[in-house]
Amino acid sequence: MFKDGVTASPKQKLKSSIQRSLRNALLTTFPLLTPHIDEVLPKKSSLEQIKLPDRVNLYVIDGQPIFFQQDNGVTVPHLRLVHRFPQAFPTIRIDRGAIRFVLSGATLMAPGLTSKGGRLPKPTERTGEPVAEGVPNEGLDEDGHWSRELEKGEPVVVMAEGKEEACAIGVLVAGTKEVKDKGKGPVIEEAHFLGDGLWKLNVD
């Protein structure tokens, strides 16, 4: 989606009512961001919109890209936000062999996740308190498995074997249970990845 250079329209300030609805959309999709939301979207700062090709809207605050929305309304965090709050987003992991393909914008295929170095969710009952009241108690286990199955159409962060920071994020075209059952086929078709046009876009 953002493989090459991205041409962007000038920034537009958003009405406070639109900012509130976008804040709610972000928390609905990523409830684990709840404890950090005032840091992500400070109340005294103004959220701005940048229109990108393919009917994508990018939202920035204080010169920091926060998230983007495609025309289907799915809210996807920018990788810079993921790197700031890595525990707040559902995660899968690719093996070393899949890294170069994902970082070239190729479709993420199931074998890169079902191999020994890959990680798909392993549903488990988590102990301890959730990060905030009313927020689901979910997250990664010690071995890098997310604690619930992820559904088709859900945005998911892509970690890489042997790497500390996320390398991509995209929307699942197949649920993780289906990926495990079939072991083949596409998983994420159009990801935002490290070094792509969106990553390099100057939003100042």
Side-chain angles (χ1 to χ4, degrees):
M1 184 190 301
F2 305 112
K3 281 186 193 180
D4 305 315
V6 174
T7 53
S9 69
K11 284 188 279 194
Q12 295 176 296
K13 288 197 173 177
L14 297 170
K15 293 179 183 174
S16 56
S17 58
I18 296 174
Q19 292 190 50
R20 278 195 301 274
S21 69
L22 288 168
R23 179 188 178 103
N24 290 338
L26 195 60
L27 287 176
T28 299
T29 309
F30 306 105
L32 297 180
L33 264 181
T34 301
H36 314 292
I37 193 63
D38 289 333
E39 198 177 338
V40 175
L41 298 174
K43 287 179 179 170
K44 290 184 178 177
S45 298
S46 183
L47 192 65
E48 296 174 302
Q49 172 184 289
I50 299 174
K51 292 188 175 181
L52 305 178
D54 300 319
R55 299 193 294 277
V56 173
N57 290 319
L58 174 67
Y59 297 96
V60 303
I61 199 162
D62 297 333
Q64 289 284 329
I66 304 296
F67 62 96
F68 61 93
Q69 282 184 328
Q70 296 160 279
D71 60 351
N72 59 9
V74 177
T75 302
V76 182
H78 193 284
L79 273 172
R80 295 190 192 278
L81 181 65
V82 173
H83 290 169
R84 285 170 64 197
F85 304 103
Q87 306 302 322
F89 305 99
T91 301
I92 55 178
R93 192 178 88 186
I94 54 173
D95 63 21
R96 283 186 173 86
I99 296 173
R100 65 190 177 95
F101 295 104
V102 169
L103 294 183
S104 66
T107 295
L108 172 55
M109 305 298 285
L113 296 161
T114 56
S115 64
K116 187 178 176 184
R119 290 290 181 274
L120 284 162
K122 188 183 287 182
T124 49
E125 196 71 44
R126 283 168 62 86
T127 57
E129 294 295 313
V131 295
E133 190 177 337
V135 171
N137 191 8
E138 59 183 80
L140 288 172
D141 67 15
E142 290 179 2
D143 202 28
H145 300 275
W146 197 253
S147 58
R148 69 171 173 86
E149 297 288 8
L150 305 172
E151 303 296 328
K152 178 180 177 179
E154 195 170 344
V156 65
V157 167
V158 181
M159 302 298 292
E161 183 183 10
K163 305 293 181 186
E164 291 292 318
E165 292 193 319
C167 65
I169 184 164
V171 177
L172 292 171
V173 296
T176 52
K177 187 175 186 308
E178 180 188 345
V179 173
K180 286 188 269 191
D181 291 344
K182 288 186 176 177
K184 60 182 181 180
V187 181
I188 297 174
E189 290 182 339
E190 291 190 329
H192 158 39
F193 57 91
L194 283 177
D196 68 5
L198 184 61
W199 177 262
K200 293 175 181 173
L201 182 65
N202 183 356
V203 297
D204 286 336

